[in-house]
Amino acid sequence: MKFSLFVHLERLNPGQTDESLYREFIALCEIADKGGMHAIWTGEHHGMSFTIAPNPFLSLADLARRTKNVRLGTGTVIAPFWHPIKLAGEAAMTDIITGGRLDIGIARGAYSFEYERLAPGLDAWGAGQRMRELIPAIKGLWQGDYAHESEFWNFPSTTSAPKPVQEPHPPIWVAARDPNSHEFAVANGCNVQVTPLWNGDGEIASLMERFEAACANNPEIKRPKIMLLQHAYVGTDEADLEQAARELSVYYNYFFAWFKNERPIRQGLIETITEAEMTENAIVAPEVMLKNLAVGTADQVIARLKAYEAMGYDEYSFWIDTGMSFERKKASLERFIAEVMPAFAE
């Protein structure tokens, strides 16, 4: 099983500058590269200080000059916010800039907050349908002289300019959860990204079952890869792990708030969630974080990840967006690289 870093800029309070957050983002990515991680993933979000990522291709192009070995992936671009010609061209240019290190993760998107602002009237179903139309279109554009006429986009014969370095194109990953998404991804020769969020091993096993069922339904397709995206924290002692669990609980409370899109937002920051409100949200309580996420000492995290490897996961992506301080993120990542990854060395 390979290991990657999933990371964004995230603002917790108005006192943090974008410049300082970007410096911290770069520092974590450089640690991942020097530490032998397989890839770095960063995504796309708009108008949200909770996850600052307006265009992942810009960040990946910068990382291409600051790293040597890691693959650089979009985790993920939001399909309904892109025209196929624009996505094909920008991705191809990024593949050239990165020297053929680009992976492209594509999703329908998760936040109605973003749909309201970039595509008013769009819902999750409509976004998913756009993703299903987008992926074959960008493949056609990379092949060249491709015309498209369908529900959402129509254009005459066009060739992506430029074309990507990788043949026939950079690996494409689809963020999948329900069986239909797995089926679409596998049938179209795409790799699969899954995240159980705060849910535990039962959900992780179920996601793998959906993927395996899709592979069985498409025997003519070479088995794609499947990546598990999950929050992790490698701690030093019980007090450290308890603090991490509290921090992750706070993170998921704010994740819920952004997803529900019901609280006031000012200057990109959502209204503060009270301690009482967090206590009421028992499904993401600190004890749930300890039980369901890869939070533990190095030995405990190794044991959990070995179980995921045995299930068949090809890649484990360390989701480091947690609301923790940079110093705590950095220390955990360094322990992960030094103490966890060697247990999986070939």
Side-chain angles (χ1 to χ4, degrees):
M1 189 165 66
K2 296 180 179 179
F3 296 99
S4 57
L5 179 68
F6 187 89
V7 59
H8 301 90
L9 288 68
E10 53 173 350
R11 176 176 289 108
L12 307 180
N13 62 70
Q16 296 170 294
T17 67
D18 294 321
E19 294 86 349
S20 66
L21 294 173
Y22 192 69
R23 285 195 296 270
E24 293 174 357
F25 167 84
I26 291 297
L28 294 172
C29 292
E30 290 176 337
I31 291 169
D33 180 53
K34 292 174 183 176
M37 282 188 142
H38 168 68
I40 294 168
W41 299 91
T42 194
E44 175 185 6
H45 291 288
H46 300 279
M48 305 168 61
S49 283
F50 181 68
T51 306
I52 302 171
N55 186 330
F57 294 120
L58 286 174
S59 301
L60 298 182
D62 186 30
L63 286 174
R65 295 295 179 262
R66 299 174 184 267
T67 61
K68 295 181 179 180
N69 303 305
V70 286
R71 293 194 63 80
L72 300 167
T74 63
T76 52
V77 295
I78 303 175
F81 301 162
W82 289 84
H83 189 285
I85 296 174
K86 183 174 174 61
L87 179 58
E90 290 199 27
M93 181 62 77
T94 306
D95 197 43
I96 292 171
I97 293 170
T98 62
R101 286 192 278 158
L102 180 68
D103 280 54
I104 304 176
I106 302 177
R108 70 182 188 184
Y111 294 106
S112 61
F113 172 88
E114 293 178 300
Y115 291 161
E116 288 177 354
R117 286 154 178 79
L118 277 77
L122 186 67
D123 59 15
W125 170 257
Q129 294 303 103
R130 284 166 173 79
M131 182 183 73
R132 286 163 169 75
E133 186 175 322
L134 178 75
I135 289 173
I138 61 173
K139 287 183 177 181
L141 288 161
W142 286 327
Q143 185 173 358
D145 295 327
Y146 171 80
H148 187 86
E149 184 174 347
S150 193
E151 182 177 0
F152 302 112
W153 295 286
N154 294 280
F155 50 85
S157 180
T158 309
T159 300
S160 174
K163 288 188 175 183
V165 172
Q166 296 177 81
E167 296 286 351
H169 54 71
I172 299 175
W173 298 72
V174 171
R177 187 172 185 84
D178 64 84
N180 289 334
S181 297
H182 284 267
E183 187 75 25
F184 169 82
V186 173
N188 283 271
C190 300
N191 299 319
V192 172
Q193 298 175 340
V194 299
T195 176
L197 298 174
W198 65 90
N199 299 295
D201 291 354
E203 175 70 5
I204 293 170
S206 178
L207 289 165
M208 177 57 75
E209 289 169 2
R210 296 168 216 173
F211 174 74
E212 294 290 3
C215 292
N217 291 338
N218 295 274
E220 74 285 2
I221 303 293
K222 180 182 177 182
R223 183 186 186 276
K225 296 178 182 178
I226 180 168
M227 179 185 85
L228 174 63
L229 168 63
Q230 186 189 45
H231 280 105
Y233 182 83
V234 182
T236 55
D237 54 32
E238 185 175 348
D240 186 22
L241 297 177
E242 288 178 353
Q243 180 179 346
R246 290 193 299 272
E247 290 166 325
L248 283 159
S249 176
V250 171
Y251 177 89
Y252 269 112
N253 271 278
Y254 278 93
F255 177 91
F256 259 117
W258 276 104
F259 187 79
K260 292 172 71 175
N261 194 28
E262 296 173 352
R263 299 177 77 88
I265 297 167
R266 181 174 175 78
Q267 293 296 315
L269 292 168
I270 202 163
E271 181 183 68
T272 301
I273 303 173
T274 67
E275 288 292 336
E277 289 175 305
M278 292 191 198
T279 300
E280 291 176 2
N281 196 9
I283 64 171
V284 290
E287 55 267 26
V288 176
M289 303 295 102
L290 284 171
K291 178 183 177 183
N292 289 353
L293 301 179
V295 177
T297 63
D299 287 344
Q300 290 170 328
V301 172
I302 287 169
R304 186 179 286 269
L305 270 53
K306 285 288 185 181
Y308 302 154
E309 183 180 51
M311 289 182 191
Y313 284 100
D314 301 294
E315 182 174 336
Y316 181 89
S317 195
F318 181 133
W319 189 357
I320 205 167
D321 302 338
T322 54
M324 296 179 186
S325 68
F326 168 72
E327 290 73 21
R328 285 180 57 73
K329 291 179 181 179
K330 177 175 180 290
S332 172
L333 178 60
E334 289 174 338
R335 287 190 288 266
F336 186 91
I337 290 170
E339 301 175 34
V340 174
M341 285 173 46
F344 296 83
E346 294 181 352

